[in-house]
Amino acid sequence: MFRNFVKIALRNLWRNRRVSAVSIIGLAIGLACGIVIFLLVSYMFSFDRYHAKADRTYWVVTDIRQDNVVPTDATPRPLGEILRRDFSFVESVVRLENIFGRIIGVPDGKGGYSKKFEESRNLCFTEPQFFEVFDTEWISGNPKTALSAPNTVVLSERYAQKYFGSANPIGQRLRFDNQADLTVTGLIKNLPSNTKLHYDAFISYATVPALLGSQGKQAMQNWESVSTVCFASLRPGTPVDRLVKGLSAIRQKYLNPQEAKKLDFHALTLDDLNHNPQYGGQAPRPILYALVVVGLFLVMAACINFINLATAYALKRSKEVGVRKVAGSSRRQLIGQFMTETALITLAAVLISLLLAQLSLPLLNQALAMLHADMSILDLVKPNAWPWFVSLVAGVILLAGLYPSLVLARFNPVAALRTGYGQLTAKQVGSVSVRRGLVIVQFFITQLFIIGVLVMMLQVRHMQQTDMGFQKEAILTIPVPTDNALKQDVLRSQLEQIAGVEQVALGVEPPASHRRIPIPFTYDTHTQPEKFPTTVKVGDKNYVPLFGIKLLAGRNFMNNDTADSEALVNATMVKQLGLRTPTEILGKRLTVWGGTKTIVGVVNDFHISELREAIPPTTILNYYRENHMAALKLNPGNLTETVKSVETSWNQLFPEHVFKADFVDNLLNQFYLTERILLGLAEVFSLIAILIGCLGLYGLVAFIAEAKTKEIGVRKVLGATTNELMWLFGREFSRLLIIGFLLAAPIGWFLMNGWLKSYVYRIQFSWWIFGITLLTTTLITVLTVGYESLKAALMNPASALKTE
């Protein structure tokens, strides 16, 4: 029986090739979107879940409480050791510190380097307990002792190959930032991509004190410096509440009253590493849940499209059903026959969707390069994925095939054989209201996507075009690998002599950056720190004019020799101190960073981070020892040659370091990376929703044309014009489109207005967004429906009435 079902199904699919192709393409596109979204969401939720102790390992973070709460992803250095020592329910504790912008050199045995690399984010200082808490696969070395001594390092395969080629790395030496020689004591497999702890070189934590110099031991016991990431694994069966109480006890026992009031410790799950945006998570759960809903919408739209097409062409099979019923076929056999056809169409669509998904995954992996994404279609065969995939296919077969099968199976054989082709009523081939409802759902989904894309496009453009309060065009940043004032002056002098370099400023970073550390301060004669912190920017006398930051009152730093006793503040600082005019703050004292400065100038507010955050009170200081960056204002006429000249001059001064150059506008574009990824996904999914919606409209207009064949013939005989006949279709779809819009508009406003609220600086949701949405959908509908309705209106009435 099943073999016969398959044979007949293949014949019917071939006989109606056009309809079958449209059905398969629509389902394939919808399924491909569902698969890609599932792989993406599944990948995001898999981060750091593969560790054996993941369910009982917690990430300890610190909130700095002042006038407001500033979440940080780290803790003071002493906290981890106290957790390890004082609480028996804690099985393991590991501390680590991220390493940014340091030089790793491979000694050549002659006092120089055979290779040198500037490393950021892939290196960390950590303890041997890292390998107890987090699963790693060792190739050589002892995980318990490899990092127990100072100046030792464990490398991944990738970095061992990078530094030493095919040679055995164990026992080899590396030079860390021209300060310490490291011995390779271990080699591990490359960590999987789905971890936020994606390190390739682990330097022993015991190395840190010596690198901090004479104050190293004191710095390791400093509670004010929140710089160490801390993880604690609890013993099996231990509730997290005990850890929370332990953290509270540490505050009371080890911190002085001022520190205890300022610092608040929390325990978060490992999932929060990737999903908690407050502490740096890049994949917030609401966004992932929204993607799941988008995937369901697209699969549902594809199924609706299939249902519309299947029921629209049910009229052509009325005689077939009548003959089968007269010949003795049961209702169950007819449903089985039509469900087999649906299954074959779905399986063909699945094969095409797998191909489409695999073709799109490399582009998605590239867009998510910051997460080291390596998603593949083979991920569907993983134990946690294939049950979902099988359920999806089975669900699509049932959802798309059951209703059309029931419609076809319930045809009255007498009516089907007596009236002939095209004579069954619309009610006999399935309720028109059902198909109208399905098309309304498609209009709703399409218009919801269009509203979302328009709002996201406008917000991203707003962020890219917003005046940041400083200049960013044609400004190059390069490293300054010295705290020697004389050598910094030599660098500045040489750079200013290069043709194409208009101005040079030294500092820590551009005005806007990812780093924002709130610093407590005391204003004027106050004896206690202010209720709010300040964000400190470091720059010399050229910093403000080079970046075009407007001076509102007072003056800039006079020179770089005496400016370390002076400070500039922004307008927000003046307002939060309760002063009415910028001039009132001039000459007042500011105690910050352990020193007292005189406020000599007030600058206009400028953004120091992305537009999600309000501009905070900001202080600009001139500390040459903190200078890590040189900013160069370049003549845009010949940037390539100028950058080459800068590199040559820099390499002559710092041959032991690695030159790295970035333009400020490129650095700022990284602020909007998440938004650009979301916008790209939204644009693609919107186009797909529109395409699937067009196919659904095509199915319904074909059905209406079939159902109204006699009516159109009679109307033409009675003198109806082509325009009047086309309005029969236009009136039908206009109502459905308006109903879909009335559903999509308030929901779209609610969802996108909520998304916009996450930005302090955002666009206003305007009424014309709805107007463009309605106009776009109307044009798409006219183009989709126009051809089929025109063909029906131009039909020879004799053809429609000849069977009467």
Side-chain angles (χ1 to χ4, degrees):
M1 180 69 73
F2 178 73
R3 182 179 178 184
N4 186 52
F5 281 171
V6 172
K7 185 185 297 183
I8 295 173
L10 290 173
R11 289 174 181 171
N12 283 324
L13 294 177
W14 179 252
R15 186 179 302 118
N16 299 295
R17 293 185 292 276
R18 186 178 66 167
V19 178
S20 300
V22 171
S23 299
I24 290 171
I25 292 171
L27 272 181
I29 293 173
L31 283 171
C33 291
I35 290 170
V36 169
I37 290 175
F38 168 77
L39 290 174
L40 174 60
V41 173
S42 178
Y43 174 75
M44 291 300 182
F45 276 124
S46 72
F47 270 64
D48 291 297
R49 289 189 174 184
Y50 64 89
H51 303 294
K53 299 180 181 179
D55 59 338
R56 52 190 176 95
T57 298
Y58 296 90
W59 175 28
V60 184
V61 298
T62 306
D63 286 350
I64 301 176
R65 296 184 177 275
Q66 292 181 341
D67 189 46
N68 55 353
V69 177
V70 180
T72 68
D73 61 358
T75 62
R77 288 189 175 110
L79 181 68
E81 183 59 37
I82 293 173
L83 275 175
R84 184 184 297 134
R85 184 186 65 211
D86 290 6
F87 300 98
S88 59
F89 60 83
V90 177
E91 183 179 81
S92 299
V93 174
V94 58
R95 295 175 292 178
L96 66 86
E97 294 187 15
N98 293 301
I99 298 172
F100 300 96
R102 300 299 185 94
I103 304 299
I104 297 292
V106 181
D108 59 5
K110 302 175 182 178
Y113 299 121
S114 59
K115 300 177 184 177
K116 57 181 179 179
F117 305 92
E118 193 269 342
E119 300 286 7
S120 292
R121 300 185 182 276
N122 287 59
L123 276 66
C124 71
F125 295 109
T126 192
E127 300 172 297
Q129 288 84 356
F130 183 95
F131 306 111
E132 296 177 11
V133 176
F134 302 109
D135 295 354
T136 48
E137 188 175 349
W138 281 71
I139 299 172
S140 57
N142 187 334
K144 294 183 178 180
T145 61
L147 295 180
S148 58
N151 300 330
T152 54
V153 61
V154 173
L155 299 178
S156 68
E157 280 186 301
R158 177 169 47 246
Y159 266 44
Q161 174 71 26
K162 175 180 177 179
Y163 294 147
F164 304 111
S166 58
N168 182 7
I170 302 298
Q172 300 272 17
R173 302 180 75 82
L174 294 170
R175 183 73 174 165
F176 176 76
D177 212 35
N178 300 299
Q179 290 180 277
D181 289 321
L182 307 177
T183 301
V184 180
T185 55
L187 181 65
I188 62 172
K189 291 279 189 181
N190 296 329
L191 296 181
S193 65
N194 58 337
T195 177
K196 293 295 288 185
L197 307 172
H198 204 277
Y199 301 109
D200 289 292
F202 303 83
I203 303 172
S204 60
Y205 199 74
T207 309
V208 175
L211 295 175
L212 295 175
S214 59
Q215 302 298 317
K217 290 185 178 180
Q218 182 180 349
M220 299 302 288
Q221 301 302 318
N222 183 5
W223 285 94
E224 292 187 358
S225 175
V226 181
S227 59
T228 300
V229 182
C230 180
F231 298 94
S233 281
L234 307 185
R235 298 190 185 280
T238 303
V240 68
D241 290 346
R242 295 191 66 183
L243 177 60
V244 173
K245 291 178 181 178
L247 293 172
S248 179
I250 289 174
R251 286 178 61 226
Q252 301 301 322
K253 182 177 180 181
Y254 292 96
L255 277 67
N256 62 46
Q258 186 175 346
E259 291 170 340
K261 185 178 179 181
K262 175 183 174 183
L263 303 179
D264 194 9
F265 306 124
H266 301 283
L268 306 179
T269 64
L270 282 186
D271 283 347
D272 287 310
L273 279 169
N274 197 39
H275 304 312
N276 193 325
Q278 267 193 309
Y279 298 95
Q282 295 173 308
R285 290 183 182 88
I287 290 180
L288 297 181
Y289 295 145
L291 283 175
V292 171
V293 174
V294 168
L296 291 175
F297 272 174
L298 291 173
V299 172
M300 184 169 64
C303 292
I304 290 172
N305 162 65
F306 179 88
I307 292 170
N308 278 333
L309 286 172
T311 53
Y313 281 83
L315 286 170
K316 291 187 176 182
R317 305 189 64 176
S318 58
K319 281 191 175 181
E320 175 192 345
V321 173
V323 170
R324 284 178 177 275
K325 283 196 169 184
V326 169
S329 290
S330 66
R331 183 179 175 87
R332 178 189 296 179
Q333 289 174 324
L334 288 171
I335 291 174
Q337 172 65 54
F338 300 130
M339 287 298 291
T340 302
E341 292 182 17
T342 302
L344 289 176
I345 289 176
T346 303
L347 292 176
V350 166
L351 295 176
I352 297 174
S353 69
L354 291 174
L355 176 62
L356 293 175
Q358 182 58 36
L359 292 174
S360 62
L361 284 176
L363 298 176
L364 188 57
N365 286 333
Q366 184 178 357
L368 298 175
M370 62 178 179
L371 297 176
H372 310 279
D374 61 350
M375 291 175 285
S376 166
I377 203 68
L378 296 177
D379 293 340
L380 290 174
V381 300
K382 292 182 178 178
N384 64 334
W386 71 262
W388 170 88
F389 181 62
V390 172
S391 300
L392 174 67
V393 175
V396 168
I397 292 173
L398 287 175
L399 182 62
L402 191 58
Y403 176 73
S405 298
L406 292 173
V407 168
L408 286 166
R410 76 183 183 195
F411 279 177
N412 186 321
V414 176
L417 294 174
R418 181 183 60 197
T419 58
Y421 168 71
Q423 302 300 310
L424 288 177
T425 66
K427 185 176 180 180
Q428 288 175 297
V429 293
S431 172
V432 174
S433 62
V434 172
R435 276 180 294 279
R436 285 171 176 162
L438 295 177
V439 172
I440 288 172
V441 172
Q442 285 191 315
F443 274 131
F444 163 74
I445 293 172
T446 301
Q447 293 179 102
L448 193 63
F449 273 114
I450 294 174
I451 291 171
V453 167
L454 287 175
V455 173
M456 293 180 71
M457 285 176 62
L458 292 171
Q459 177 62 19
V460 171
R461 188 177 69 175
H462 172 70
M463 292 189 296
Q464 292 175 334
Q465 295 180 351
T466 293
D467 182 10
M468 298 291 287
F470 61 89
Q471 294 179 7
K472 57 185 179 179
E473 291 78 16
I475 296 179
L476 185 75
T477 63
I478 60 175
V480 177
T482 179
D483 60 1
N484 183 285
L486 180 59
K487 203 163 186 179
Q488 289 182 11
D489 287 338
V490 172
L491 172 64
R492 185 202 312 274
S493 176
Q494 290 195 9
L495 293 175
E496 288 175 340
Q497 294 175 15
I498 297 174
V501 176
E502 297 179 352
Q503 196 173 11
V504 179
L506 302 183
V508 171
E509 59 201 0
S513 69
H514 288 288
R515 190 178 74 163
R516 177 185 170 186
I517 302 176
I519 306 294
F521 73 98
T522 303
Y523 172 66
D524 200 21
T525 58
H526 296 179
T527 57
Q528 295 295 324
E530 304 305 314
K531 293 182 179 180
F532 58 91
T534 182
T535 298
V536 174
K537 294 290 178 180
V538 175
D540 64 7
K541 67 175 184 178
N542 292 337
Y543 189 86
V544 168
L546 182 141
F547 283 104
I549 300 172
K550 185 179 178 181
L551 198 65
L552 298 179
R555 61 172 175 82
N556 188 20
F557 300 128
M558 290 293 291
N559 55 66
N560 292 325
D561 296 326
T562 60
D564 60 353
S565 62
E566 299 173 344
L568 307 176
V569 298
N570 69 345
T572 297
M573 172 79 89
V574 175
K575 293 175 185 176
Q576 293 208 18
L577 286 171
L579 305 177
R580 289 175 297 178
T581 63
T583 55
E584 293 182 52
I585 203 172
L586 299 178
K588 298 295 193 296
R589 291 182 299 172
L590 189 75
T591 303
V592 64
W593 264 6
T596 300
K597 318 294 178 187
T598 300
I599 300 173
V600 299
V602 178
V603 298
N604 197 21
D605 284 338
F606 57 90
H607 291 278
I608 69 164
S609 60
E610 56 186 325
L611 298 185
R612 290 182 184 273
E613 302 176 5
I615 297 174
T618 305
T619 303
I620 302 176
L621 303 177
N622 188 351
Y623 277 145
Y624 73 86
R625 291 186 181 88
E626 297 292 331
N627 289 337
H628 302 307
M629 171 209 74
L632 287 68
K633 178 69 174 176
L634 305 184
N635 187 319
N638 194 1
L639 293 177
T640 303
E641 291 301 320
T642 303
V643 173
K644 288 181 179 179
S645 300
V646 169
E647 181 176 5
T648 301
S649 181
W650 190 94
N651 284 329
Q652 291 173 354
L653 274 176
F654 307 107
E656 69 278 13
H657 293 275
V658 178
F659 179 80
K660 182 181 180 181
D662 289 298
F663 282 96
V664 171
D665 49 2
N666 291 336
L667 295 173
L668 296 181
N669 283 335
Q670 296 177 11
F671 286 165
Y672 317 124
L673 184 59
T674 300
E675 284 77 11
R676 289 204 304 272
I677 292 173
L678 288 176
L679 177 59
L681 290 174
E683 288 175 340
V684 171
F685 293 146
S686 295
L687 290 174
I688 290 171
I690 291 171
L691 176 60
I692 293 174
C694 289
L695 294 174
L697 290 176
Y698 174 80
L700 185 59
V701 74
F703 168 77
I704 293 175
E706 293 280 2
K708 292 180 178 289
T709 300
K710 295 294 184 289
E711 178 186 345
I712 292 172
V714 171
R715 285 178 179 272
K716 291 198 75 170
V717 169
L718 295 177
T721 65
T722 300
N723 290 337
E724 290 172 337
L725 293 174
M726 290 187 68
W727 177 238
L728 287 174
F729 298 91
R731 182 177 56 194
E732 175 77 21
F733 287 102
S734 296
R735 288 198 299 263
L736 302 182
L737 189 152
I738 294 298
I739 294 172
F741 173 76
L742 293 176
L743 292 173
I747 295 176
W749 176 87
F750 176 78
L751 294 176
M752 299 313 299
N753 206 45
W755 179 73
L756 287 173
K757 286 181 179 178
S758 64
Y759 297 89
V760 174
Y761 304 94
R762 56 182 180 265
I763 63 167
Q764 294 298 317
F765 203 112
S766 302
W767 64 268
W768 58 264
I769 293 175
F770 294 134
I772 292 180
T773 300
L774 189 58
L775 178 62
T776 303
T777 314
T778 301
L779 290 175
I780 293 170
T781 303
V782 169
L783 293 175
T784 304
V785 174
Y787 170 74
E788 198 71 26
S789 58
L790 181 62
K791 187 174 71 172
L794 295 176
M795 178 183 59
N796 188 341
S799 301
L801 301 174
K802 65 182 179 181
T803 57
E804 292 292 343

